[in-house]
Amino acid sequence: NAGVTQTPKFRILKIGQSMTLQCTQDMNHNYMYWYRQDPGMGLKLIYYSVGAGITDKGEVPNGYNVSRSTTEDFPLRLELAAPSQTSVYFCASSSRTGLTDTQYFGPGTRLTVL
Amino acid sequence: ILNVEQSPQSLHVQEGDSTNFTCSFPSSNFYALHWYRWETAKSPEALFVMTLNGDEKKKGRISATLNTKEGYSYLYIKGSQPEDSATYLCAPAGSNYKLTFGKGTLLTVNP
């Protein structure tokens, strides 16, 4: 069982470059989430989706965009990379109820912006 | 955005010791409380989800309690083992489908 997969595992970007972080889940979960983890801080929610075609902002959405064209995929796009976006990014998914169901996390993408 | 406090920030114990840590959160607009275990270089993994005041959950040597009226949850580990070393995250959930994660308690169990 693959669960939640993320690519790439690591990436170094130059300031101003763009990239897409990929996230795919094979559990048929409706809810998907993007978090970032900075040293000494808790996981911060960037964007989330409650189903295909529906996305909404989390706590720290500035500088990011998402789309959800299928149940399985929830890519996160950085349009103009900035050093403040250096972080570890985690994608997660959960089943129908969202609030009381477990979130399953992917392995993370470590991004450095220089 | 909920204000979630976890204490202590870090904890060192000897193998065999029992330990506990705290998660504090606003008692208003509470829906559920999640605990996750996060080992270094891995992804967070779910331990418990609790919703009712007085809830107690147990998984092996790890257990948790919930007090929604005063806004706290305790996580207990009985007879700590080196493999319990990890960061333990709590995350209360409100009605807006979002979890707010605390900064975690880093537990190190020395053999």
Side-chain angles (χ1 to χ4, degrees), chain B residues 76-90:
Chain B
Y76 300 91
I77 302 179
K78 184 178 179 182
S80 303
Q81 300 296 307
E83 57 265 31
D84 295 329
S85 296
T87 296
Y88 291 84
L89 302 173
C90 75

Side-chain angles (χ1 to χ4, degrees), chain A residues 27-76:
Chain A
M27 298 174 280
N28 201 32
H29 285 169
N30 283 328
Y31 296 86
M32 296 187 75
Y33 314 84
W34 274 106
Y35 294 93
R36 59 178 286 172
Q37 166 74 45
D38 300 314
M41 306 295 290
L43 290 162
K44 300 289 187 187
L45 183 65
I46 305 171
Y47 271 95
Y48 67 102
S49 169
V50 302
I54 306 170
T55 63
D56 206 349
K57 295 177 181 179
E59 187 181 349
V60 289
N62 291 342
Y64 306 95
N65 280 302
V66 293
S67 59
R68 184 98 182 268
S69 56
T70 66
T71 298
E72 295 78 20
D73 300 306
F74 190 40
L76 177 73

Side-chain angles (χ1 to χ4, degrees), chain B residues 68-110:
Chain B
T68 61
K69 294 184 178 180
E70 295 181 43
Y72 65 83
S73 176
Y74 293 138
L75 190 80
Y76 300 91
I77 302 179
K78 184 178 179 182
S80 303
Q81 300 296 307
E83 57 265 31
D84 295 329
S85 296
T87 296
Y88 291 84
L89 302 173
C90 75
S95 58
N96 55 2
Y97 304 115
K98 301 174 190 175
L99 298 185
T100 300
F101 284 86
K103 295 180 182 179
T105 292
L106 174 60
L107 174 66
T108 304
V109 183
N110 300 311

Side-chain angles (χ1 to χ4, degrees), chain B residues 25-28 30 51-54 66-73:
Chain B
F25 52 87
S27 55
S28 60
F30 172 85
T51 57
L52 299 175
N53 185 46
L66 178 66
N67 183 321
T68 61
K69 294 184 178 180
E70 295 181 43
Y72 65 83
S73 176

